[in-house]
Amino acid sequence: MWENFLPDSYVDSFPSSNDDCRVVFTLFIDYTNPTSPSFPNPSSPSFSSSAAAACICNTLIMELRVISGMVKRVREMFLFFFLAIFSKAIGTKPFWRTRWAADRSNECLTWQLAVEANNVRGWRTVPAHCLHHIETYMTGGQYEQDINYIVEQIENYVTQVTLDEDGMDAWILDVDDTCLSNIFYYQRKKYGCEPYDPWGFKTYVMRAECPAIPAVLGLFQKLVDTGFKVFLITGRDEETLATATIDNLHTQGFIGYERVIFRTEPFKGKSAVVYKSAIRKQLMEQGYRIWGNVGDQWTDLQGECLGNRTFKLPNPMYCVP
């Protein structure tokens, strides 16, 4: 903009070198009188070229641009400082802090979601601070609502299956926390916050008082009425728990299944995936077509011979490896 106030002879003579400009500027400072009211005349004998005056103006322009940049930075710093004070006054926090300030119940919900999605595997106990969250989920109605919704999806699928007349269309159900609920045992174990106690669980099962999960009992009855051969496959030990388990199932209304299959001696010490895969494979080798497979553990639904569809029921209280 300074060029608009300079004579053409000054502007046309702008030096091309910054070093030349510094030399000329130094000579000009030595020459000029601070009280002089105007620029030196480029035709003055004390001035060898109009480039000197042009250089002075060019240098001033550069200095003003530097000062302008400094002012802009100071203004930005002041604005940033003002916003920081203002945000503190009204209680707002930077976004990178708010994501760590989430409610612990939300953290437990995230953990539960990761468990159900099989992203957290082999966990031994529920995080201690999630006790209230899991208790509320299991007893406050949400667990029942989730079960009912999944069973509704299963029943919709059942209506789409056309059974053969040979009677070899099969369906598989797990037992623990699929057909029968262990909620009373896990209430004493703080809903999974305390480690699994095999001897305590065995004592509990021997009482044969596990309540049926209502929606699954309804599904079971529909499967039997439709004509499926329903197999109940459980990891419970046949030698010690078969009698109590069958009594419990009958008491709760699970009547009409094809067979209850327990863990036997050859499968002791084997993982649930290995054991249940082997049983399913045996059924298929016998000619059964497995249309559906329902369980509360991912290990119920992994491995070989899974069937046409698998359905996972929620269970945030324990994990069977």
Side-chain angles (χ1 to χ4, degrees), residues 263-296:
R263 187 188 288 265
T264 55
E265 185 65 32
F267 293 107
K268 287 186 177 180
K270 302 290 186 179
S271 70
V273 173
V274 171
Y275 159 58
K276 294 198 172 186
S277 292
I279 298 300
R280 293 192 300 265
K281 185 177 180 180
Q282 290 174 10
L283 293 176
M284 293 187 71
E285 289 174 347
Q286 293 169 15
Y288 287 101
R289 295 177 295 274
I290 301 174
W291 286 97
N293 183 7
V294 183
D296 67 298

Side-chain angles (χ1 to χ4, degrees), residues 36-242:
S36 176
S38 62
F39 285 110
N41 189 333
S43 63
S44 169
S46 300
F47 244 85
S48 61
S49 172
S50 61
C55 187
I56 295 299
C57 294
N58 189 28
T59 304
L60 290 175
I61 291 171
M62 294 172 61
E63 293 295 333
L64 286 172
R65 287 174 179 170
V66 172
I67 294 173
S68 175
M70 293 175 63
V71 170
K72 182 178 180 181
R73 286 194 292 272
V74 171
R75 183 170 57 199
E76 290 174 348
M77 291 176 62
F78 176 78
L79 180 61
F80 179 81
F81 178 76
F82 173 77
L83 290 175
I85 297 297
F86 179 73
S87 64
K88 185 175 181 180
I90 64 175
T92 59
K93 298 179 180 180
F95 74 92
W96 58 84
R97 293 180 58 187
T98 56
R99 57 179 186 171
W100 297 111
D103 190 281
R104 293 302 289 269
S105 63
N106 291 337
E107 178 184 330
C108 294
L109 181 61
T110 300
W111 175 83
Q112 182 182 348
L113 174 63
V115 165
E116 294 300 342
N118 200 30
N119 292 325
V120 178
R121 303 181 182 183
W123 52 278
R124 297 180 61 84
T125 59
V126 172
H129 64 274
C130 294
L131 168 60
H132 178 68
H133 170 79
I134 300 301
E135 179 182 16
T136 301
Y137 174 75
M138 294 299 301
T139 63
Q142 187 61 53
Y143 170 73
E144 182 179 5
Q145 180 175 324
D146 291 349
I147 291 285
N148 291 343
Y149 182 80
I150 295 170
V151 168
E152 180 182 337
Q153 304 307 307
I154 299 174
E155 291 178 343
N156 289 339
Y157 165 66
V158 169
T159 62
Q160 302 171 23
V161 178
T162 302
L163 276 62
D164 199 289
E165 296 180 357
D166 61 3
M168 300 300 287
D169 296 298
W171 198 284
I172 293 174
L173 295 176
D174 176 50
V175 173
D176 285 299
D177 290 297
T178 298
C179 293
L180 301 176
S181 173
N182 295 318
I183 186 68
F184 296 131
Y185 169 79
Y186 278 95
Q187 282 178 337
R188 298 198 299 267
K189 304 302 290 184
K190 296 184 178 180
Y191 295 92
C193 291
E194 293 183 355
Y196 172 70
D197 173 16
W199 290 107
F201 182 73
K202 181 178 179 180
T203 301
Y204 166 76
V205 169
M206 291 291 291
R207 293 161 53 187
E209 297 177 353
C210 303
I213 296 177
V216 178
L217 177 58
L219 171 65
F220 168 82
Q221 293 170 340
K222 181 172 183 177
L223 291 170
V224 172
D225 293 342
T226 302
F228 286 97
K229 296 296 189 294
V230 179
F231 293 87
L232 307 181
I233 304 179
T234 176
R236 294 183 180 186
D237 177 60
E238 182 178 54
E239 182 179 356
T240 58
L241 299 178

